[in-house]
C-alpha cells in the first residue's frame, strides 16, 4: 500500500532532523584552493585536526587548485548542503574574483554560505636592500622623484599584492609600474634579485627580511604586526589605510542552521587553543580571526564593494 504524500514528507522531515541531530556522523571534507604548503592549506590542516579531535570524526583536506580558486568554489557550491563538504577560501576568491572574471562559475555571494572567519594576515611593504631608502617616508619621497618610475612585483594581475600597492599609489600620490609574477614566491625572489624595487608580501617573508635579503618599511594592517613590532603601519602616515588578507570557511548555499551552529562553535573552539594559535603564528604571522556571523558577513560585503571599485578604477583584468 502506498503511503500518502503528506506522510512521506513527514517521514523525510523526521529522518532529516535525526540526521542533523547526529551531525557529524561521518568524515568532513575541507576543499582548499591551492596546493599543499601555503597559508590556506596550513590553516585547514591545523584547524581541521583540532575540530576532528573534538567531534570524533576525521576532517580530510582535499587540495583542488585551479582558476584562481574558482575550481574549488564551483565544486563546493554544487555539493549537497549537508555540512560534509566545505571550502577554505581566501578573500580574493570571494570578494575579488567576481570583479576580475567576465564569467564566473558561481555567484560567490549567493551560492556559498559563510561559516566562519579563520585567520588574518598583513602585508609587508618590502624593498630590495640596494634601494637607497631606510624608512617608509623615504620610500614615498624617493618614488615621487624616480624617473623612470620604480617597478613593483605582485603575485599576478588582480592579486592582493597588486591591489594593496594600487591603494598606496592612490593615497600617497606616487607612480610605480606593475610587474606581475605567477605567485607570491616568484615575486619575492624577483624583488630580492633586484628585478623590481618593491613589493607587498605576506609576513611569511620574515626569514628573508631577517636575513637582510629584503628591507621591511611598513605593514598594511590596522595595527603593527607581532612578527615585525618595530615596523610602522601605513596608517601611521595615512590614517585609515588598511588592507589585510583573511581566510574563511564556507559551505554550499542552504546549510541547515543546526549544522552552521555546530561548525561555528567547533571552529571557534579550535582557534582559541594555544596550540593552534602558536602554530598559526609560526606559519607566517597568521592571526586567528574570530568574528560573529554578522561581523563576517559585513566584512565580506565591505571587501566585495571596495575591491570592485578599485578594480574598476584601475582597469585590472584577470590573466
Amino acid at each position: 500500500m502506498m503511503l500518502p504524500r503528506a506522510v512521506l514528507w513527514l517521514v523525510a522531515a523526521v529522518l532529516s532532523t535525526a540526521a542533523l541531530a547526529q551531525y557529524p556522523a561521518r568524515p568532513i571534507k575541507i576543499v582548499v584552493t591551492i596546493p599543499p604548503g601555503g597559508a590556506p592549506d596550513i590553516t585547514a590542516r591545523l584547524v581541521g585536526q583540532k575540530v576532528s579531535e573534538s567531534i570524533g570524526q576525521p576532517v580530510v583536506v582535499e587540495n583542488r587548485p585551479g582558476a584562481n580558486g574558482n575550481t574549488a568554489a564551483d565544486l563546493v557550491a554544487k555539493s549537497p548542503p549537508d555540512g560534509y563538504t566545505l571550502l577554505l577560501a581566501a578573500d580574493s576568491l570571494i570578494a575579488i574574483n567576481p570583479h576580475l572574471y567576465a564569467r564566473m562559475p558561481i555567484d560567490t555571494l549567493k551560492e556559498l554560505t559563510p561559516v566562519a572567519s579563520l585567520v588574518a594576515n598583513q602585508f609587508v611593504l618590502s624593498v630590495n636592500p640596494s634601494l637607497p631608502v631606510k624608512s617608509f617616508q623615504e620610500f614615498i619621497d624617493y618614488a615621487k622623484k624616480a624617473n623612470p618610475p620604480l617597478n613593483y612585483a605582485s603575485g599576478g594581475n588582480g592579486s592582493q599584492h597588486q591591489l594593496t600597492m594600487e591603494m598606496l599609489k592612490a593615497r600617497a600620490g606616487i607612480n610605480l609600474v606593475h610587474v606581475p609574477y605567477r605567485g607570491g614566491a616568484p615575486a619575492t625572489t624577483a624583488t630580492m634579485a633586484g628585478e623590481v624595487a618593491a613589493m607587498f608580501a605576506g609576513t611569511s617573508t620574515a626569514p628573508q627580511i631577517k636575513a637582510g635579503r629584503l628591507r621591511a618599511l611598513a605593514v598594511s594592517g590596522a595595527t603593527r604586526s607581532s612578527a615585525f613590532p618595530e615596523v610602522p603601519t601605513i596608517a601611521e602616515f595615512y590614517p585609515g589605510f588598511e588592507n589585510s588578507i583573511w581566510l574563511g570557511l564556507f559551505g554550499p548555499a542552504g546549510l541547515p542552521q543546526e549544522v552552521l551552529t555546530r561548525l561555528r562553535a567547533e571552529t571557534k573552539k579550535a582557534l582559541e587553543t594555544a596550540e593552534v594559535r602558536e602554530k598559526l603564528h609560526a606559519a607566517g604571522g597568521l592571526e586567528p580571526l574570530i568574528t560573529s556571523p554578522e561581523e563576517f558577513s559585513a566584512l565580506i560585503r565591505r571587501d566585495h564593494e571596495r575591491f570592485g571599485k578599485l578594480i574598476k578604477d584601475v582597469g585590472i583584468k584577470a590573466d
Side-chain angles (χ1 to χ4, degrees), residues 36-302:
D41 180 72
I42 292 169
T43 302
R45 295 180 190 279
L46 285 175
V47 174
Q49 178 60 37
K50 273 298 171 188
V51 171
S52 175
E53 294 170 6
S54 178
I55 65 178
Q57 291 288 346
V59 176
V60 182
V61 174
E62 179 179 316
N63 300 89
R64 281 292 188 101
N68 207 17
N70 289 343
T71 300
D74 187 41
L75 170 68
V76 173
K78 290 178 171 58
S79 299
D82 52 16
Y84 290 102
T85 303
L86 304 173
L87 173 72
L88 195 145
D91 48 7
S92 57
L93 168 57
I94 307 298
I96 295 175
N97 281 11
H99 307 290
L100 284 178
Y101 292 87
R103 296 181 64 184
M104 285 282 289
I106 65 166
D107 184 326
T108 58
L109 297 186
K110 293 181 179 178
E111 297 180 62
L112 293 172
T113 299
V115 175
S117 57
L118 295 176
V119 299
N121 195 8
Q122 299 197 45
F123 276 121
V124 186
L125 175 62
S126 301
V127 298
N128 183 281
S130 65
L131 203 69
V133 299
K134 296 293 179 66
S135 69
F136 175 75
Q137 190 59 59
E138 287 181 3
F139 172 75
I140 297 299
D141 294 340
Y142 187 81
K144 286 182 177 179
K145 299 173 184 176
N147 187 20
L150 299 175
N151 293 333
Y152 79 91
S154 84
N157 284 325
S159 65
Q160 280 275 34
H161 310 84
Q162 181 191 9
L163 295 179
T164 307
M165 188 67 85
E166 292 298 330
M167 289 170 62
L168 177 60
K169 285 171 58 178
R171 189 68 184 272
I174 56 177
N175 183 29
L176 297 97
V177 177
H178 178 221
V179 181
Y181 290 83
R182 293 191 176 277
T188 300
T189 300
T191 308
M192 290 190 297
E195 294 176 17
V196 294
M199 72 172 296
F200 272 106
T203 54
S204 59
T205 53
Q208 289 83 357
I209 291 171
K210 291 176 181 177
R213 293 188 286 270
L214 289 172
R215 179 178 297 142
L217 301 181
V219 294
S220 66
T223 60
R224 293 196 178 196
S225 168
S226 58
F228 309 100
E230 73 286 355
V231 177
T233 66
I234 296 175
E236 291 174 39
F237 302 86
Y238 300 105
F241 187 102
E242 186 272 327
N243 194 39
S244 297
I245 316 164
W246 54 259
L247 303 177
L249 196 62
F250 295 79
L255 279 181
Q257 187 58 50
E258 295 89 343
V259 170
L260 278 171
T261 299
R262 182 73 191 276
L263 285 172
R264 285 166 176 162
E266 294 295 344
T267 301
K268 181 175 183 289
K269 185 163 63 174
L271 290 172
E272 288 175 337
T273 64
E275 178 187 356
V276 169
R277 286 177 173 270
E278 290 167 4
K279 288 182 177 179
L280 286 172
H281 187 267
L286 298 172
E287 299 287 347
L289 179 63
I290 300 174
T291 61
S292 68
E294 294 76 19
E295 289 170 336
F296 189 31
S297 293
L299 174 62
I300 293 169
R301 290 193 303 272
R302 183 204 72 171

